[in-house]
């Protein structure tokens, strides 16, 4: 074989080997996107003490929390947790909380209670930190009373956002700032699973503190309003519940909307419900770790 033929053969073999190598080289697999786990804390007035018990268990079980979404009572507890209080510190705050710390009676004018003390209480507890500076991304859900639309606060004054989210119509005066009036987020979204999804949550653990409506007849204006609000929460929450990955449902039907005397029992019910949900939560987390999406 001549030199020219030999050279052509060597070039052919080299090209064949290069093409073969390219054909068999594995395609690089992009790193798995880290998963975001959100806890959604629902509306429910004094039943919201149960949120503290749920957070105690999630923390003790080392469940990662990358986002907190809160409506009404859920925004109160959620803002403090997102700021950096651990669950046991939250329990100390809850057990020492007095109604006068967060509400002041007024002559009724579109509400029996002003929200100034609630706003100031939260701002004092978070040392004036705005929402965007909290340690865990936090979203508070309120209702724009002018348009009837949902508003999600995730920047700006933390106390104002919580005040807006907690302003139960007829009980609290609407929260007024930035030229707009806001009322309780539970009017439109008592369990804001969709908000967590909107902001990128892959896994949503929803804490539903609504309860079946009992047959007792309220005796007074405030009790009637709160009973009406409970019915509304219960009805509106049914669809969001189906959209969560795990629903934690404390049995807190025995806690009245303004009953602080049973807060310790509500916290314990939160713990029980969270422990019952841990197998489902652990199953989801194990799958994500297997996929390389959680450390």
């Amino acid at each position: 074989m001549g030199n020219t033929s030999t050279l052509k053969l060597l070039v052919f073999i080299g090209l064949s080997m290069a093409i073969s190598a390219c054909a068999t080289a594995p395609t690089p697999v992009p790193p798995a996107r880290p998963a975001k786990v959100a806890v959604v804390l629902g509306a429910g007035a004094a039943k919201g003490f149960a949120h503290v018990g749920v957070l105690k268990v999630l923390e003790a079980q080392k469940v990662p929390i990358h986002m907190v979404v809160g409506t009404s009572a859920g925004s109160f507890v959620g803002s403090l947790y997102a700021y950096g209080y651990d669950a046991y510190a939250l329990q100390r705050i809850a057990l020492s909380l007095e109604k006068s710390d967060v509400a002041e009676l007024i002559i009724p004018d579109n509400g029996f209670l002003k929200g100034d003390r609630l706003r100031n209480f939260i701002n004092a507890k978070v040392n004036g930190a705005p929402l965007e500076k909290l340690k865990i991304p936090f979203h508070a859900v309120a209702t724009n009373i002018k348009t009837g639309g949902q508003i999600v606060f995730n920047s700006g004054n933390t106390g104002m956002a919580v005040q807006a989210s907690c302003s139960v119509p007829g009980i609290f005066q609407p929260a007024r700032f930035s030229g707009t009036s806001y009322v309780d987020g539970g009017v439109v979204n008592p369990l804001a699973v969709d908000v967590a999804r909107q902001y990128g949550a892959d896994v949503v653990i929803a804490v539903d503190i609504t309860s079946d409506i009992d047959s007792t007849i309220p005796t007074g204006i405030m009790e009637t309003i709160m009973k009406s609000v409970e019915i509304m929460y219960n009805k509106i929450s049914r669809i969001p519940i189906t959209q969560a990955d795990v629903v934690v449902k404390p049995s807190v039907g025995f806690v009245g909307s303004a009953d602080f005397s049973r807060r310790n029992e509500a916290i314990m019910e939160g713990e029980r419900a969270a422990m019952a949900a841990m197998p489902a939560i652990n199953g989801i987390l194990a799958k994500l770790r297997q996929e390389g999406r959680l450390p």
Side-chain angles (χ1 to χ4, degrees):
M1 184 180 298
N3 289 337
T4 303
S5 298
T6 303
L7 180 60
K8 288 182 179 179
L9 179 60
L10 290 173
V11 169
F12 175 76
I13 293 171
L15 287 173
S16 298
M17 292 177 66
I19 293 170
S20 176
C22 290
T24 58
T27 303
V29 178
R33 182 177 62 82
K36 286 185 180 180
V37 179
V39 171
V40 174
L41 305 176
K47 294 176 174 62
F49 286 112
H51 289 318
V52 176
V54 173
L55 291 171
K56 281 178 66 179
V57 170
L58 297 182
E59 193 173 273
Q61 297 292 317
K62 302 189 184 321
V63 175
I65 298 175
H66 307 110
M67 180 194 310
V68 180
V69 176
T71 300
S72 199
S75 77
F76 185 96
V77 175
S79 66
L80 298 178
Y81 191 73
Y83 171 70
Y85 289 101
D86 65 27
Y88 283 91
L90 279 185
Q91 179 170 269
R92 289 192 293 272
I93 292 171
L95 294 178
S96 63
L97 187 68
E98 300 293 339
K99 291 180 184 178
S100 59
D101 292 332
V102 294
E104 60 274 53
L105 280 169
I106 58 171
I107 297 172
D109 175 22
N110 207 13
F112 290 89
L113 306 174
K114 287 181 71 176
D116 295 1
R117 287 189 186 175
L118 188 154
R119 179 181 70 240
N120 294 337
F121 179 88
I122 292 294
N123 280 334
K125 289 296 182 185
V126 303
N127 292 310
L131 290 163
E132 64 270 22
K133 296 295 184 182
L134 302 184
K135 291 182 180 178
I136 302 173
F138 172 66
H139 309 280
V141 178
T143 303
N144 183 323
I145 194 63
K146 180 179 179 179
T147 65
Q150 173 178 280
I151 179 77
V152 179
F153 292 100
N154 43 42
S155 64
N157 188 291
T158 300
M160 284 184 175
V162 173
Q163 177 191 358
S165 185
C166 291
S167 294
V168 178
I171 300 296
F172 279 92
Q173 288 188 337
R176 298 182 177 92
F177 48 86
S178 302
T180 307
S181 295
Y182 303 95
V183 295
D184 186 352
V187 170
V188 292
N189 202 350
L191 194 65
V193 174
D194 60 326
V195 172
R197 300 287 189 200
Q198 177 186 342
Y199 286 96
D202 298 287
V203 178
V204 176
I205 302 169
V207 186
D208 175 25
I209 53 172
T210 62
S211 55
D212 293 335
I213 306 305
D214 60 46
S215 59
T216 59
I217 299 174
T219 59
I221 296 175
M222 292 183 75
E223 286 187 18
T224 300
I225 293 172
M226 289 310 301
K227 180 78 177 273
S228 302
V229 168
E230 285 184 18
I231 294 170
M232 177 183 66
Y233 287 163
N234 182 274
K235 301 296 184 184
I236 300 176
S237 292
R238 291 182 181 178
I239 292 176
I241 285 171
T242 66
Q243 299 169 345
D245 295 284
V246 178
V247 178
V248 181
K249 189 165 180 60
S251 298
V252 286
F254 62 89
V255 181
S257 296
D259 185 2
F260 279 35
S261 68
R262 308 190 77 173
R263 53 187 146 188
N264 194 52
E265 295 168 76
I267 291 171
M268 291 175 64
E269 288 299 333
E271 293 177 26
R272 290 191 188 99
M275 284 302 301
M278 280 311 304
I281 294 171
N282 282 332
I284 292 170
L285 298 182
K287 184 174 184 295
L288 290 172
R289 290 190 176 105
Q290 188 177 32
E291 295 170 354
R293 300 185 64 195
L294 278 181

